[in-house]
Amino acid sequence: MYEGLSGQKKGILFFAAVVIVFMQGGLWSARRHSVNNFPDDSLLPVTTYLPFGKSNARPSVKEHPIPKLMADAEANYRQLLSRQSQTLEEAVREYERRYMRKPPRGFDDWWRFARNNSVVMIDEYDNIDEDLAPFWEISAEQLRWRASLAGYLPFVDVVRVKDGKAIAVNIVDGEESEAVSARAKGFLSMLANFQDRLPDLEFPINAMAEGRILVPWERRVQSNTTLQRNIDAIRDELSGNGYPDWHGEGTVWEAYRRTCEPGTAARRLFSSFRASSMNKTSQLAARSEEFVFARDTAGNYSFCTNAWAHYTQGHFFSDWRTIAAAFPMFSPAKASGYLDIRIPSHYYYAQTRRYTYGWDPVNLQLKEVDDMEKPWDEKSDKVFWRGASTGGGSSPPGFAAQYQRHRFVRLASDQSSANRTVVFADPPGSTNYIYADVPAGQLNEDMMDVAFVKVVGAENYPGGLDALVRAHRVDDGGVNLGDHWQHKYVVDLDGMGYSGRFFSFMESDSAVLKATVYREFFSDWIQPWLHFIPLSQSYSEIYNIHAFFSGATESTLRVANATALYMPADKRKTIDGDRRLRRIARAGKQWKRTIGRRVDMEAYVYRLCLEYARLWSDDRDSMSFSP
Ligand SMILES: *[C@@H]1O[C@H](CO)[C@@H](O)[C@H](O)[C@H]1NC(C)=O
Ligand SMILES: *[C@@H]1O[C@H](CO)[C@@H](O)[C@H](O)[C@H]1NC(C)=O
Ligand SMILES: *[C@@H]1O[C@H](CO)[C@@H](O)[C@H](O)[C@H]1NC(C)=O
Ligand SMILES: *[C@@H]1O[C@H](CO)[C@@H](O)[C@H](O)[C@H]1NC(C)=O
Ligand SMILES: *[C@@H]1O[C@H](CO)[C@@H](O)[C@H](O)[C@H]1NC(C)=O
Ligand SMILES: *[C@@H]1O[C@H](CO)[C@@H](O)[C@H](O)[C@H]1NC(C)=O
């Protein structure tokens, strides 16, 4: 056993070493054309908006894709709002239409709660249905038994409702204590306004940001009876691991691969570092990609079919073990493939100096306008991001260079003369779009204010701390939440899990650019290109987003010898773009204040609790709503 383990460990290290050498060789230096790429089904096909003729030096796009994305987004959202049920009867009918069963008992109370609190989203709870689906496959007895194993699991607390009162406990070796995580406390406080209307229940709460539940594909599709027979196997899975971390005996990716359907790329033993479908040999193709805009964030991105892409996401390198059985784990976010049950993040619900817009930590009150907020015209035109070099672990070690934050900071720290292609209207305000090849170093200086504020995990970076600091801007001056609103563009990136700052960014008067591979409780409630700007996982279109909204920078105009150069300075800026950006900033703020409120999170959790209570009951039929 000992022998075998160390052999396996050596194997992993060898594999890691090979990949690192590979990375430092050709592929790595060509990162602009390979590693940063993240082809995504949700991206518009290149050909749709391919603006570049082969030999034509000044081809023109007649229509920029962004206005259409914005118009479609607005139309979509208007339609979503207008179709929400207006009466309880309509809400019941809509529920039955979507899920082909009756709503849970207490649905009328929930509806009144929603109505009383002006909750806009009455019908959009598909996430709950999706997350709870595996638990319809097992009996209530099974569900309760599995939940009762929470005490065996590291970093899992329990929120327990008994006789209409909820408490949060941490169970270790059968002993209960009140030393619970902030996440459990957060969930507990979300129940306060309706706990008296709930039956007795137990919620295992994930104390970490990462998703925890990865059930192998073969086990997921088993019938109920087989599952029952597997009780012992599941108990082992839940309680028998001994260590909370991988301890060199596996990785998240190894666990994730098994959730994929047999035959998918991820099920093959080794995945290619580079997607075979990525045909980026020609300069033309590379340029085009920089002008491709994501329609949405990558929450549904398939790492099963795009196995290579797991190298670009830190969470696949997390040190913490995942759990290979359907277990009711309440977590703040999940990437596709995880079976956690989503709840609102405590960062969004609580009110704190570091995560809440307008929070006055001295008087403990919420201000309408944050002390550090600025009028739009006084904000800088730069793209702002600060954060730590976290976002992944060291299982296996050595891959930090590809984690989502490192890739972004490196992109923005690139001082080189490698060209990026920027498309802009010339003259400003016209529909004559031209492009210029501008050195990355120049664009980054013009547009970006991006840096790590803290370096951690440098041992996972090829070349160590020195190499990390050389390739990434590090600004150790620290950052306040309010520093973000000094800029028109704030970027929101995943960390170890989802980004807890998102709701505060949304509430600010700045526009949010968001890249994520997670879906959260609100993902069906928000509209990309209306409330925020979705950013692809390669981030490579960011220069063209900036050029569209803020206009080409002086250096870009000069490279292109654009006609704007020969116009008076006040005519060079595109007013329309800036207005559009401001509209996104305003719509985002409005969203936070009408749909992303604390009471909206309560409404989500309330409805989730009713559904969970039905699953928890031996007589599920009696726990259905009857008018
Ligand atoms: C809704 O408001 C009414 C009237 O203010 C109140 O009687 C009722 O208890 C409220 N219901 C819920 C579920 O909050
Ligand atoms: C599994 O259990 C559910 C709920 O008890 C039931 O509706 C379903 O028919 C069962 N499926 C099988 C394959 O036994
Ligand atoms: C890449 O694209 C070029 C031009 O479209 C094509 O000729 C070539 O066959 C492609 N290569 C691969 C490996 O698909
Ligand atoms: C993502 O997947 C979920 C569940 O399969 C689905 O309901 C949702 O519509 C998908 N979202 C997008 C943007 O494709
Ligand atoms: C960048 O583009 C310019 C203009 O097309 C070209 O002269 C220059 O060689 C390019 N630089 C690099 C590093 O490719
Ligand atoms: C730049 O454009 C101006 C005005 O269109 C033209 O007179 C000049 O020759 C151009 N310069 C170069 C280097 O192409």
Side-chain angles (χ1 to χ4, degrees):
M1 190 65 202
Y2 206 81
E3 286 277 316
L5 266 185
S6 66
Q8 186 186 359
K9 218 167 179 176
K10 269 187 214 151
I12 289 171
L13 287 178
F14 173 70
F15 177 52
V18 169
V19 175
I20 291 163
V21 168
F22 193 36
M23 273 159 46
Q24 286 170 333
L27 257 184
W28 178 236
S29 59
R31 67 174 185 265
R32 181 188 156 205
H33 300 143
S34 59
V35 177
N36 270 336
N37 289 334
F38 200 97
D40 190 311
D41 298 344
S42 69
L43 297 180
L44 297 172
V46 170
T47 46
T48 314
Y49 292 110
L50 188 75
F52 311 116
K54 247 199 176 118
S55 54
N56 187 348
R58 292 197 140 204
S60 72
V61 212
K62 280 299 169 209
E63 232 181 296
H64 199 288
I66 289 181
K68 178 154 174 24
L69 286 165
M70 290 180 70
D72 288 353
E74 194 170 327
N76 261 351
Y77 203 68
R78 274 185 199 288
Q79 205 211 354
L80 178 77
L81 292 183
S82 68
R83 69 163 196 243
Q84 296 305 304
S85 296
Q86 295 303 309
T87 64
L88 175 59
E89 290 69 31
E90 275 176 37
V92 170
R93 261 203 308 278
E94 178 61 15
Y95 184 104
E96 290 173 352
R97 186 188 70 76
R98 289 188 189 213
Y99 313 123
M100 286 166 318
R101 59 169 181 262
K102 284 185 164 43
R105 192 150 109 194
F107 192 73
D108 48 349
D109 271 342
W110 174 83
W111 189 81
R112 276 189 289 275
F113 177 89
R115 261 300 145 112
N116 274 9
N117 290 299
S118 312
V119 170
V120 173
M121 293 298 171
I122 295 293
D123 301 320
E124 309 308 321
Y125 296 84
D126 289 358
N127 288 346
I128 296 180
D129 189 61
E130 180 192 331
D131 293 352
L132 294 182
F135 303 101
W136 281 98
E137 299 290 317
I138 63 176
S139 67
E141 192 193 355
Q142 262 286 310
L143 173 63
R144 292 194 302 263
W145 176 75
R146 291 189 193 187
S148 76
L149 296 175
Y152 293 102
L153 300 171
F155 312 115
V156 178
D157 297 313
V158 173
V159 167
R160 178 184 297 143
V161 181
K162 194 155 174 21
D163 303 327
K165 178 119 191 46
I167 55 165
V169 293
N170 177 15
I171 311 171
V172 180
D173 297 334
E175 295 286 317
E176 296 193 357
S177 84
E178 283 175 22
V180 297
S181 63
R183 295 181 198 281
K185 284 183 195 149
F187 186 72
L188 182 68
S189 58
M190 290 175 217
L191 302 185
N193 288 330
F194 49 84
Q195 56 185 352
D196 55 336
R197 282 172 242 164
L198 300 178
D200 294 356
L201 291 169
E202 288 196 357
F203 301 87
I205 307 293
N206 181 2
M208 301 199 297
E210 294 98 325
R212 304 287 294 275
I213 310 294
L214 288 173
V215 181
W217 190 84
E218 284 79 4
R219 204 181 291 170
R220 201 163 158 177
V221 297
Q222 270 171 349
S223 69
N224 299 359
T225 42
T226 327
L227 268 174
Q228 313 264 328
R229 261 190 267 121
N230 276 355
I231 284 181
D232 287 342
I234 290 164
R235 188 198 291 272
D236 288 352
E237 197 66 67
L238 291 179
S239 60
N241 286 326
Y243 302 108
D245 63 2
W246 289 108
H247 229 72
E249 289 170 42
T251 67
V252 173
W253 176 245
E254 278 305 309
Y256 189 94
R257 276 170 12 97
R258 299 195 189 104
T259 71
C260 299
E261 211 175 321
T264 51
R267 291 297 287 261
R268 285 175 220 137
L269 192 53
F270 293 111
S271 49
S272 158
F273 196 47
R274 186 177 172 167
S276 52
S277 63
M278 283 177 359
N279 186 349
K280 296 291 182 297
T281 45
S282 75
Q283 186 63 20
L284 186 68
R287 277 177 183 164
S288 307
E289 186 183 277
E290 292 174 0
F291 196 64
V292 175
F293 303 94
R295 274 186 191 285
D296 202 344
T297 51
N300 279 5
Y301 188 81
S302 171
F303 292 98
C304 291
T305 48
N306 302 288
W308 63 273
H310 86 272
Y311 290 108
T312 67
Q313 302 299 322
H315 81 262
F316 288 113
F317 298 82
S318 165
D319 296 321
W320 309 118
R321 276 180 194 279
T322 52
I323 295 159
F327 176 88
M329 180 77 80
F330 292 80
S331 297
K334 65 181 182 186
S336 70
Y338 283 78
L339 291 190
D340 300 59
I341 301 168
R342 283 164 288 180
I343 55 175
S345 163
H346 69 299
Y347 287 126
Y348 304 153
Y349 190 77
Q351 295 175 317
T352 60
R353 184 176 57 84
R354 289 183 56 206
Y355 290 93
T356 310
Y357 179 87
W359 184 244
D360 172 351
V362 177
N363 300 306
L364 300 183
Q365 64 187 19
L366 207 55
K367 293 183 171 171
E368 187 73 8
V369 180
D370 191 278
D371 283 346
M372 292 180 74
E373 189 57 89
K374 269 193 168 179
W376 181 258
D377 292 329
E378 290 173 24
K379 292 179 192 259
S380 96
D381 278 346
K382 287 202 166 167
V383 174
F384 189 77
W385 186 86
R386 288 291 184 280
S389 63
T390 55
S394 47
S395 297
F399 288 85
Q402 296 318 308
Y403 296 172
Q404 64 281 1
R405 291 182 168 200
H406 295 71
R407 288 187 292 109
F408 184 70
V409 175
R410 211 162 46 244
L411 172 115
S413 304
D414 186 351
Q415 303 283 311
S416 79
S417 59
N419 285 323
R420 289 191 169 274
T421 304
V422 179
V423 177
F424 60 98
D426 183 58
S430 75
T431 54
N432 182 49
Y433 288 95
I434 65 169
Y435 76 85
D437 287 334
V438 192
Q442 187 62 55
L443 289 176
N444 284 332
E445 194 183 317
D446 292 347
M447 300 177 180
M448 300 290 196
D449 187 347
V450 168
F452 283 136
V453 285
K454 195 172 149 199
V455 174
V456 296
E459 67 280 7
N460 283 317
Y461 192 84
L465 182 64
D466 286 352
L468 192 153
V469 170
R470 233 178 294 123
H472 305 78
R473 185 179 153 208
V474 178
D475 168 11
D476 44 22
V479 67
N480 293 309
L481 186 60
D483 292 334
H484 292 85
W485 347 130
Q486 313 306 301
H487 310 275
K488 289 182 181 174
Y489 302 84
V490 296
V491 175
D492 193 49
L493 300 178
D494 295 336
M496 291 306 293
Y498 70 103
S499 163
R501 297 188 291 198
F502 183 59
F503 275 48
S504 62
F505 286 0
M506 289 300 283
E507 192 156 10
S508 78
D509 291 346
S510 298
V512 181
L513 295 161
K514 184 173 180 66
T516 184
V517 293
Y518 297 102
R519 285 191 300 135
E520 299 181 52
F521 80 98
F522 61 85
S523 53
D524 291 345
W525 292 2
I526 200 164
Q527 182 67 54
W529 287 110
L530 174 60
H531 302 124
F532 69 94
I533 300 170
L535 200 54
S536 78
Q537 289 295 321
S538 80
Y539 321 118
S540 64
E541 77 280 26
I542 198 166
Y543 303 100
N544 275 307
I545 289 174
H546 191 279
F548 174 76
F549 289 109
S550 297
T553 63
E554 183 80 16
S555 45
T556 304
L557 296 178
R558 229 176 281 125
V559 168
N561 191 25
T563 52
L565 279 179
Y566 305 92
M567 296 164 68
D570 62 324
K571 295 265 161 38
R572 287 189 204 175
K573 283 278 171 198
T574 137
I575 298 161
D576 178 58
D578 191 65
R579 278 201 192 125
R580 282 177 177 276
L581 186 66
R582 191 175 185 186
R583 206 157 94 203
I584 291 174
R586 280 183 173 150
K589 190 184 188 82
Q590 178 70 5
W591 179 88
K592 171 65 183 73
R593 294 196 162 173
T594 53
I595 288 162
R597 301 167 305 163
R598 299 174 88 216
V599 73
D600 295 299
M601 302 179 210
E602 289 171 21
Y604 186 94
V605 170
Y606 189 175
R607 187 153 157 170
L608 172 64
C609 287
L610 297 180
E611 295 281 7
Y612 188 60
R614 171 161 58 182
L615 289 168
W616 193 262
S617 163
D618 286 319
D619 187 355
R620 289 177 174 169
D621 286 343
S622 79
M623 290 295 283
S624 289
F625 172 67
S626 52

